[in-house]
Amino acid sequence: MYFDRIDICVCINGIICLGHSSVGFVLWNSEIKEFKDVPAPPSPNVGYHKSTCAFGYDHYSNEFKVVSIYTKFQRHTGLLSPSIQIYNESTGYWRQIDTLFDQSVICFPGYYNELFFNGVNHWTGCILMDERGQHLEAIISFDMREEVFRTIKMPDFGDLSHSNYFGKTLGVLGNCIALIIYDKRVIEKNFEIWVMREYGVKKSWTNPYKIGPISVIQRGEELLMRDGLYLVRNKLLILKGRGRVLLYDFVAQELKNFHLRNPPDSFSLLQVMDFEEY
């Protein structure tokens, strides 16, 4: 299977899923050096556009699942009508699902912004409030076992909540959902880390870490801010151009620079994942 571009690259329980919804996906078990092809999902009706996809694990049925989400803009309401399809590893087929949750008001952010945590996929998105485009930013979740959507309220960021100039990236810190907030316009960046101490409870959000300013770009470099921030094992990783990685240790409160040794010229640094063999 050949990919001219990838819109998912996730590792769960030692299995790596990568691929593109128009071509298909590959489930790769690096420990035993085996992979499984997943066909592309059936195209929905005319007018639907690819929105996002996700990879997850259902602990109860003991199988991996791939979720594909297409959206369609409704002219008469101005809202989005999604089509949700799920691939089950056990059956080898895609199926479309209907959920009780009203997804017509959900706006998904697109690629490279999903987080799988405790059996649930999460995205930073928004809920459309009316036909004029008023919206409320929220974390959109999809339970891999129950196959239902839910929303989680974000903390109150003040003026940052509704600004398109501020990026919001999901991660895990101290076994809790966390949000990284930063200004996309500046080179000297300050990062705010918000942590949800009790899952699903808005009042439990805290802001224990403020990091910076950090100069994230040097001459001739490009910061991969669309998908270049990660919280991995209680450390903040920042991807930069030319194979450079910044690592901030929350315990030691130190910033370190790393550089990939001799990467192939034809390769680019796309994503970092937390890999652990099972």
Side-chain angles (χ1 to χ4, degrees), residues 7-8 20-25 38-44 48-56 65-71 82-88 94-97 103 108 111 121 123 142 144 149:
D7 60 19
I8 186 172
H20 188 276
S21 57
S22 63
V23 179
F25 306 88
V38 176
S43 299
Y48 281 89
H49 302 279
K50 180 69 176 64
S51 179
T52 191
C53 56
F55 175 60
K65 296 180 179 179
V66 182
V67 181
S68 179
I69 303 173
Y70 286 80
T71 55
S83 172
I84 316 297
Q85 299 182 77
I86 298 180
Y87 175 87
N88 289 72
W94 289 91
R95 57 188 171 85
Q96 186 162 332
I97 66 167
Q103 305 115 22
F108 290 95
Y111 311 135
N121 275 92
W123 300 267
F142 181 78
M144 280 291 174
F149 285 93

Side-chain angles (χ1 to χ4, degrees), residues 76-276:
H76 61 285
T77 64
L79 301 179
L80 299 173
S81 175
S83 172
I84 316 297
Q85 299 182 77
I86 298 180
Y87 175 87
N88 289 72
E89 183 189 23
S90 59
T91 65
Y93 294 102
W94 289 91
R95 57 188 171 85
Q96 186 162 332
I97 66 167
D98 295 319
T99 66
L100 298 177
F101 189 77
D102 181 13
Q103 305 115 22
S104 65
V105 296
I106 294 178
C107 180
F108 290 95
Y111 311 135
Y112 301 115
N113 204 14
E114 74 280 355
L115 171 71
F116 183 76
F117 177 70
N118 286 349
V120 181
N121 275 92
H122 303 78
W123 300 267
T124 56
C126 64
I127 302 173
L128 302 179
M129 307 301 292
D130 56 37
E131 299 178 10
R132 295 173 296 177
Q134 294 293 322
H135 66 274
L136 175 68
E137 288 195 311
I139 296 174
I140 312 300
S141 70
F142 181 78
D143 190 302
M144 280 291 174
R145 178 202 176 194
E146 300 177 12
E147 298 183 352
V148 296
F149 285 93
R150 297 185 177 92
T151 59
I152 301 173
K153 293 183 178 179
M154 288 190 181
D156 294 323
F157 303 119
D159 295 337
L160 307 187
S161 294
H162 304 290
S163 175
N164 293 326
Y165 297 120
F166 288 86
K168 300 175 179 67
T169 300
L170 286 167
V172 177
L173 187 61
N175 202 34
C176 296
I177 292 285
L179 270 170
I180 311 170
I181 313 298
Y182 61 94
D183 191 334
K184 296 184 287 187
R185 299 168 296 179
V186 299
I187 295 177
E188 293 282 338
K189 294 189 182 296
N190 292 281
F191 299 96
E192 290 192 9
I193 313 296
W194 289 78
V195 179
M196 184 169 53
R197 300 297 183 184
E198 185 176 351
Y199 185 80
V201 179
K202 181 179 180 180
K203 291 183 179 179
S204 71
W205 283 103
T206 62
N207 182 206
Y209 300 106
K210 295 183 179 181
I211 305 168
I214 298 175
S215 180
V216 295
I217 300 180
Q218 296 180 1
R219 181 174 297 178
E221 290 186 332
E222 175 186 0
L223 180 64
L224 309 176
M225 292 307 294
R226 183 180 69 164
D227 57 329
L229 288 175
Y230 301 89
L231 285 171
V232 178
R233 303 192 182 189
N234 296 329
K235 295 178 176 62
L236 173 64
L237 289 177
I238 305 172
L239 301 191
K240 303 177 69 174
R242 298 183 179 179
R244 295 188 63 226
V245 178
L246 296 179
L247 184 148
Y248 181 83
D249 190 315
F250 290 97
V251 177
Q253 296 186 357
E254 293 179 346
L255 182 68
K256 300 179 180 179
N257 282 275
F258 293 90
H259 196 283
L260 298 182
R261 295 182 178 178
N262 303 319
D265 293 336
S266 60
F267 282 64
S268 60
L269 184 59
L270 173 67
Q271 192 166 339
V272 168
M273 64 179 67
D274 187 5
F275 178 79
E276 183 176 351

